[in-house]
Amino acid sequence: MKSPIYNYDYAVIGGDMRQVYLVNAFTQSGSRVCAYALCAKTDQGRCVDALSEICSASSCLIGPIPLSKNGDVLNQSTLKQALPIDQFLDYLKPGQTFFAGCIPEDFRLKAMDKGVRVFDLMKDAQLSIFNTLATAEGAICEAIQRSAINLHHSSCAVLGYGKCGGTLSSYLKGMFCHVYAVSNQGEERARAALVADQTGNLEAFQECAGSFDYVFNTIPAMVMDGKILEKMKRSVTIIDIASAPGGVDYEAARQLGLNAVLCPGLPGKYAPYSSARAVKEVIERSLKE
């Protein structure tokens, strides 16, 4: 059986402005690129009109980050009708390579059963660290826009001290904030103590929750329920950057009149150019390995 002949080096599908800049980056480096369902027009590459066409155009398909926001339909904002991600499986061919972010396990296994190589961009260690920069900067931008209080010398709690929590804490300290780092893991608190002014676990945070001007949550679990929210200042700004549905009881926050917001996809919103360049490096490196 002959191998398929593809006319393009890369096929880019859906997503946010990162996908648009990714098309531009690949094209500017001399690659042949086609695109489908981008969120904005680009004068680089060629746009196609059908999923079947884009899936037959290249051996390397690049989906959005995340591939789906709800686990069922493609993350895109252009098509009038929702596109189930399982439709990809009908068109994917053995020998193709598929890149995307936060790929559902069921999708990954079915694609691999068809002989497709699958790479989850959000599992790349280097990219995940780079993304913490854009995420931290985006979280700070959201906080500044949503509050009447200067970050300078404000009291900030950062819940979770993984990659994002660590980078965000460093940024906040650089802006002369008083940072209280919260984690139930002793090792994380030990690392946080090198940067933050104070550290504590979630139980300790509950006791002092009313002292903060800003709370940044990175923990993908319900860590701020109504009981904790009741203790907070009415002027507090809560920026939740955890994976959906986040870690805040938003209905309780609304009833209390608190300024709380879930902020997904910050790298695509605040640093799509830089993020696209980082994604391009990961894709090119992965294809060589």
Side-chain angles (χ1 to χ4, degrees):
M1 182 176 177
K2 288 186 177 181
S3 299
I5 297 176
Y6 297 109
N7 297 320
Y8 294 89
D9 300 307
Y10 302 99
V12 182
I13 304 161
D16 52 35
M17 285 301 297
R18 282 173 289 188
Q19 305 297 103
V20 177
Y21 283 111
L22 190 60
V23 169
N24 295 344
F26 276 125
T27 302
Q28 290 165 8
S29 64
S31 297
R32 299 166 300 164
V33 186
C34 60
Y36 174 68
L38 296 184
C39 69
K41 292 183 178 180
T42 173
D43 56 3
Q44 305 290 327
R46 171 177 173 259
C47 293
V48 301
D49 298 323
L51 181 63
S52 58
E53 184 179 357
I54 195 81
C55 289
S56 299
S58 175
S59 63
C60 182
L61 307 176
I62 306 168
I65 304 172
L67 176 61
S68 172
K69 293 182 178 180
N70 64 2
D72 296 318
V73 300
L74 179 71
N75 173 17
Q76 59 83 28
S77 58
T78 301
L79 304 177
K80 293 181 179 179
Q81 292 185 327
L83 177 63
I85 58 174
D86 280 349
Q87 285 191 17
F88 276 109
L89 298 171
D90 296 332
Y91 298 118
L92 293 177
K93 301 174 180 62
Q96 286 183 314
T97 303
F98 184 80
F99 290 91
C102 305
I103 300 172
E105 183 65 8
D106 184 59
F107 180 97
R108 185 185 72 85
L109 293 174
K110 289 178 179 177
M112 291 177 65
D113 284 344
K114 293 191 68 171
V116 177
R117 293 194 300 162
V118 181
F119 290 87
D120 193 323
L121 293 165
M122 296 311 294
K123 292 183 178 179
D124 183 85
Q126 293 181 41
L127 183 62
S128 67
I129 293 172
F130 178 86
N131 272 342
T132 68
L133 300 175
T135 299
E137 290 178 9
I140 290 170
C141 284
E142 291 283 345
I144 291 171
Q145 291 179 62
R146 296 174 184 277
S147 178
I149 300 172
N150 280 339
L151 272 170
H152 181 82
H153 283 181
S154 66
S155 182
C156 301
V158 178
L159 276 59
Y161 205 82
K163 296 185 182 74
C164 282
T167 301
L168 178 57
S169 295
S170 295
Y171 266 88
L172 292 171
K173 282 304 301 175
M175 298 180 74
F176 304 100
C177 302
H178 182 282
V179 177
Y180 182 85
V182 181
S183 175
N184 278 348
Q185 298 184 31
E187 183 179 342
E188 288 189 353
R189 290 197 303 275
R191 285 192 284 107
L194 301 176
V195 175
D197 298 282
Q198 289 179 275
T199 65
N201 57 23
L202 286 168
E203 184 177 352
F205 167 71
Q206 184 172 345
E207 296 303 316
C208 61
S211 64
F212 299 105
D213 301 307
Y214 294 90
V215 178
F216 297 87
N217 177 56
T218 72
I219 301 173
M222 180 56 67
V223 290
M224 279 186 280
D225 57 17
K227 187 176 180 181
I228 295 177
L229 294 173
E230 284 180 354
K231 297 182 178 182
M232 293 187 174
K233 296 178 181 178
R234 292 301 174 261
S235 60
V236 70
T237 297
I238 301 170
I239 303 297
D240 191 354
I241 60 175
S243 302
V248 178
D249 184 336
Y250 285 99
E251 178 56 27
R254 185 189 66 78
Q255 292 180 6
L256 291 165
L258 296 181
N259 182 12
V261 60
L262 180 64
C263 300
L266 291 175
K269 181 178 180 180
Y270 285 100
Y273 177 91
S274 298
S275 297
R277 295 282 169 168
V279 169
K280 178 176 179 287
E281 290 182 8
V282 172
I283 291 171
E284 291 175 335
R285 167 167 47 82
S286 299
L287 291 174
K288 290 177 181 178
E289 292 176 350

